[in-house]
Amino acid sequence: MNSSLRLASRPGGWPDDAPPRSACFGLSPEGCSGDTLEDLRSYFRRLSAHHGMLPWTFAFRAIAPLLGGRHFDSRRHIAKDCYGLAICGITDLAARWSNALNLLTLRHDLERHTLRPLGSMLSPYKLLSRCERFCPACYAQDDRSNNPKYNRLLWLIDCVKACPIHGMRLKQIPTPKIGDGEAFWLPGSSRVDGSNLARDVAEEAYPEEIKFAWLVVDLLEDCQLRPDAFLGSPAIPTFLSHASASLFGGIAATFAAELGISKGEFHGWMTGEVHPSLHWIVLMAYCCNCRVSDVLLGNTPAVFWTGRPRNLDYRLVNKKRKGASAPTSVLIANFEQLITSGRVRCLQEAADTLDVSVKFLHKIAPDHSTRLIENGKDYQKDAAKANGDAKFSEFLSSHTRLRTKGPYASRRLVVADVRERTGLTFGFRQACEFQRRANRMAGIAE
Ligand SMILES: [Zn+2]
C-alpha cells in the first residue's frame, strides 16, 4: 500500500471529533435488490465522471497506487483492468478493487456490488459474460425517474439472457472499431457515438429466459440476506443425491440423461470432484423447481420435475459442430479457399464458417492456421493505421478551422472541436503527436 496517498483527512479548523472527509466523493451505489443492484464497474465509471476524469486516468491515479502499483508500467497495467468485467467477478481482483474503492470513498459495502460474496460457491467457468450487455428499458426507466443510468450486476452473469423486470432480451453494448476503443463512456452511453442507449429497442425474451433470470435474482438476494451461509464450500452432491432419490428412484444415470449431460460428468458432480458452472446449477434449480441456493447449499426441499426448458438448449449444452464430419482433405481445401479469397480475417471466423472448433482447425492444418494468424496481425496493423490516418485528418481539419478564427489552435480546443463534430476522442499521447504534426504542417514553431 502506498502511504503517500491520503485516504481521509479533516479540513483545517474543523473540530477534532468531526468525521474525516474521504479522498474521493462518497458516491452512493444504485440499487438494493438482486434485480437492480449496480455492478462495481458501473459505480467506478460514475465515480470517475464525478471527479471529471476518464476512468483509466482515475484508475491510474487513485486505484493503482492502492493495489501496489509503484512504477509507471505496473500502474498502467493495473489501470487497464477498469475496462474488464473481472473487477465485478469472484476472484481476488474484485476483492482488491472493491477494497480500494471502499478506502477511497470511506464506504464499506462495495464488495456486495461484485460476485465476490459467492466466490467460494461458484466456478469461474463461463460465469461472467464475455461482453457488456444492457436492457434499454431499464436505462429508460432510470431516465424517467431522473436517476443516473447504471449497469446492473445481473447483466454481467453469462447465464442471464433477459431482463426479468421488462421481459426483454439483454443487448450487447455496441463496440467501437479497432483503434477507437480507448473512449470509455458513462453507463447508458454508446461507446461508438455517445448516443443514449435508452432509446435502443430489445427483443422480447422467452419465458424460460425470464425464469432463469429470476432464479439468478433470487440467488443474489439470498446471498445479500444470508452472506454467512455462502462462505463455505458448495454442497451440490447432497442436493443431487436428494433430487436423484426423490425424482428418479436414486438412479443417477436417469437424472443425468434428463438433464442432458453425460454420466461421467454427472458422476464428477455427485462426488464433488467437479463443480458445475452456474449455467448447469441454474438449470438444475429450474428443472427441479427449487431455488439456486438450495442446489448450492445442499438443501433438501420438496422437488418436482418440470422438464428441461425448450428454448434454452442452445445455451446450456456444448455446441454441436457438424463441419468435422466432412473429410479432412475437403476441409483443408475449403479452408485454403477461404484464406485466399480473403473472406475470413482470423482463425475464429474460419472455424465458424467451416463449423468446426479453432483447436480442430489448428490440428488438421497448422500451416494454414499460422498463415491466417499472421494475416490477421497484418490486417489489424493496417486497420489501426487507416484509423489513425482518418483521425488525424479530422484533427487537422479542426486545427485548420480554428487557426482561421484565432491566433493559436491549442490541443485542447482542437480535441474538443473534433469531439463535438464527430464524437471522436484522442488519447493524451496521440493528441500531442497530432498537434505536433499539425503545427509542423502549418509552419508553426514548436
Ligand atoms: Zn430491464
Side-chain angles (χ1 to χ4, degrees):
M1 181 97 25
N2 191 334
S3 56
S4 64
L5 195 70
R6 293 188 71 187
L7 297 171
S9 59
R10 192 173 290 114
W14 282 36
D16 288 343
D17 57 351
R21 304 285 101 178
S22 57
C24 297
F25 298 131
L27 183 69
S28 298
E30 297 288 332
C32 55
S33 56
D35 50 347
T36 60
L37 203 64
E38 181 172 22
D39 74 51
L40 189 74
R41 184 169 174 259
S42 163
Y43 174 79
F44 169 74
R45 285 160 68 174
R46 292 196 301 113
L47 186 66
S48 62
H50 272 71
H51 288 83
M53 288 191 212
L54 282 171
W56 187 90
T57 312
F58 188 57
F60 180 81
R61 291 177 184 275
I63 304 284
L66 294 174
L67 300 188
R70 292 179 184 280
H71 307 292
F72 183 82
D73 282 342
S74 62
R75 286 191 186 191
R76 269 177 26 144
H77 186 69
I78 292 168
K80 267 188 190 171
D81 288 332
C82 74
Y83 294 113
L85 296 177
I87 60 172
C88 313
I90 58 170
T91 58
D92 283 347
L93 184 71
R96 291 203 301 272
W97 270 72
S98 52
N99 191 33
L101 283 166
N102 275 336
L103 290 170
L104 288 168
T105 55
L106 290 188
R107 297 191 69 87
H108 55 82
D109 57 348
L110 293 179
E111 192 172 273
R112 65 193 283 267
H113 295 270
T114 70
L115 297 176
R116 183 73 187 156
L118 288 163
S120 63
M121 285 279 162
L122 298 181
S123 156
Y125 180 65
K126 287 192 177 178
L127 177 63
L128 295 180
S129 168
R130 292 170 70 179
C131 56
E132 194 177 339
R133 298 174 301 165
F134 70 103
C135 166
C138 283
Y139 281 154
Q141 191 176 316
D142 292 338
D143 274 345
R144 278 197 301 276
S145 51
N146 286 328
N147 284 334
K149 289 194 283 292
Y150 69 94
N151 292 344
R152 277 66 171 171
L153 184 62
L154 189 68
W155 298 346
L156 57 84
I157 298 175
D158 192 58
C159 65
V160 175
K161 303 298 175 197
C163 168
I165 302 171
H166 300 103
M168 296 292 176
R169 198 164 290 152
L170 296 180
K171 288 199 75 174
Q172 187 175 333
I173 299 252
T175 47
K177 292 177 192 163
I178 297 170
D180 265 357
E182 293 158 22
F184 197 46
W185 301 82
L186 273 171
S189 300
S190 167
R191 288 186 63 189
V192 176
D193 54 12
S195 60
N196 186 355
L197 293 175
R199 297 196 199 105
D200 218 324
V201 181
E203 297 173 359
E204 201 174 320
Y206 290 126
E208 292 93 335
E209 290 174 322
I210 298 168
K211 173 90 185 289
F212 250 61
W214 278 122
L215 284 168
V216 179
V217 168
D218 288 344
L219 172 66
L220 294 178
E221 290 188 349
D222 287 345
C223 184
Q224 302 282 334
L225 290 172
R226 295 187 298 144
D228 294 348
F230 292 85
L231 291 177
S233 304
I236 297 170
T238 312
F239 173 82
L240 290 179
S241 302
H242 163 69
S244 179
S246 306
L247 298 168
F248 302 104
I251 304 171
T254 312
F255 194 178
E258 290 291 335
L259 273 177
I261 192 166
S262 71
K263 280 192 287 184
E265 198 158 354
F266 192 77
H267 179 73
W269 296 353
M270 290 284 277
T271 56
E273 289 169 13
V274 180
H275 292 300
S277 66
L278 186 61
H279 286 79
W280 285 107
I281 295 171
V282 179
L283 177 67
M284 282 184 243
Y286 179 98
C287 293
C288 297
N289 201 37
C290 61
R291 295 172 83 88
V292 178
S293 49
D294 289 333
V295 182
L296 283 171
L297 301 175
N299 296 338
T300 53
V303 289
F304 67 88
W305 189 254
T306 57
R308 277 176 64 90
R310 276 175 302 167
N311 295 317
L312 290 181
D313 287 355
Y314 70 102
R315 291 292 180 196
L316 292 165
V317 296
N318 290 330
K319 194 176 177 185
K320 297 265 190 300
R321 298 175 194 273
K322 294 175 183 164
S325 58
T328 309
S329 57
V330 174
L331 269 178
I332 294 175
N334 289 342
F335 186 22
E336 185 157 12
Q337 196 188 1
L338 283 177
I339 299 174
T340 47
S341 65
R343 275 179 57 202
V344 292
R345 293 191 298 259
C346 68
L347 202 54
Q348 185 66 57
E349 274 184 21
D352 289 343
T353 309
L354 296 170
D355 204 11
V356 294
S357 71
V358 170
K359 198 175 168 185
F360 180 74
L361 206 53
H362 209 291
K363 189 178 164 190
I364 62 166
D367 294 341
H368 291 70
S369 302
T370 311
R371 204 169 100 209
L372 188 55
I373 290 168
E374 291 302 321
N375 288 353
K377 285 179 186 167
D378 291 343
Y379 168 76
Q380 286 198 352
K381 273 186 204 163
D382 292 346
K385 186 172 181 313
N387 190 274
D389 289 347
K391 285 178 89 172
F392 178 67
S393 164
E394 295 295 344
F395 190 95
L396 190 62
S397 163
S398 287
H399 189 273
T400 311
R401 198 166 66 85
L402 288 171
R403 266 196 310 114
T404 58
K405 287 185 179 176
Y408 181 66
S410 73
R411 174 174 49 81
R412 282 176 194 278
L413 287 176
V414 177
V415 167
D417 188 61
V418 177
R419 169 89 178 268
E420 195 177 327
R421 280 194 306 113
T422 64
L424 287 172
T425 57
F426 301 86
F428 175 72
R429 290 181 186 185
Q430 190 180 38
C432 290
E433 192 208 320
F434 283 1
Q435 179 74 2
R436 275 196 296 273
R437 276 172 67 187
N439 281 347
R440 269 200 303 272
M441 289 171 78
I444 300 171
E446 297 276 322

